[in-house]
Amino acid sequence: MGSAPTIAFRLRGVLIRFAVLASGSGSNLQAIIDAAEPEVQLVSVVSDNPTAAALARAEGAGIPTAVIEWDGDRSRFTERVCDTAVESGAEALILAGFMRILAPAAIELFPSRILNIHPSLLPSFPGARAVEAALAAGVRITGVTVHFVDDRVDHGPIIAQRCVEVVAGDSVELLHRRIQLVEHSIYPEVVGAVARNRIRVVEGKVIWS
Ligand code: GRF
């Protein structure tokens, strides 16, 4: 990808081919598979983790998988991930618990076409320990954010957010479990809306139609 490649997106208005990037259990991947939105075509699941349960979920759904292990070089890793996604026919990426940060070349290749889900109400609590940080801060309400990825971590135009209340006696595990229930409905909805071309970014803000 060193030569600044571009992709002519074959946006047919009502169908987008997505590659899902996942490092872990893949429950969000499963929710998107189970939603079976007709406009959403999952063409591949790419993981940096050979033992990710997400890979088994993909295989169970007949989705081709690939493992690209982190080799310490962000540019090269990003290039390999993007090449794999593009070769599978992907026009957009869904980050679903993908624990690696992609280099900016990925955003150039998929402009406003990389989705991420984060377990807090961004811009509060970015980072890998969002649920823990929300609990430690003593907030009474946290939640879920789905956004387009830009060149900053857990940042970019916000597509959808939903609240989750923090209750007395919550632990990181209990709160994350309730957050994940919300994730499993909001992510398929947003992916479906993107595939139906209902979401535009204008001057850095998302507009739904
Ligand atoms: C989710 O909580 C998501 O918000 C965060 O990573 C977790 C992935 O969970 N980015 P799963 O692998 O989809 O179960």
Side-chain angles (χ1 to χ4, degrees), residues 24-28 96-97 117-119 176 180 183:
S25 90
S27 68
N28 280 286
I117 190 160
H118 184 76
H176 197 197
Q180 286 223 295
E183 291 184 341

Side-chain angles (χ1 to χ4, degrees), residues 77-95:
F77 176 77
T78 299
E79 180 174 340
R80 292 169 67 210
V81 168
C82 288
D83 283 354
T84 303
V86 168
E87 276 162 25
S88 72
E91 296 157 308
L93 304 181
I94 299 170
L95 309 190

Side-chain angles (χ1 to χ4, degrees), residues 29-30 33-34 45 53-65:
L29 164 68
Q30 190 68 56
I33 292 170
D34 292 345
V45 171
L55 293 169
R57 293 182 192 268
E59 280 154 21
I63 303 167
T65 61

Side-chain angles (χ1 to χ4, degrees), residues 9 22 33 67 77 89 95 103 105 108 111 132 151-152 200 202 207:
F9 288 112
I33 292 170
V67 174
F77 176 77
L95 309 190
E108 287 162 27
E132 202 175 319
D151 55 0
R152 290 161 64 185
R200 286 180 299 135
V202 179
I207 297 183

Side-chain angles (χ1 to χ4, degrees), residues 18 22 40 83 168:
F18 294 92
V40 174
D83 283 354

Side-chain angles (χ1 to χ4, degrees), residues 114 122 145-159 201 204-206:
I114 307 178
L122 291 172
T145 302
V146 181
H147 64 98
F148 288 117
V149 170
D150 70 8
D151 55 0
R152 290 161 64 185
V153 175
D154 295 328
H155 191 270
I158 290 173
I159 305 169
V201 180
K205 305 257 177 4
V206 166

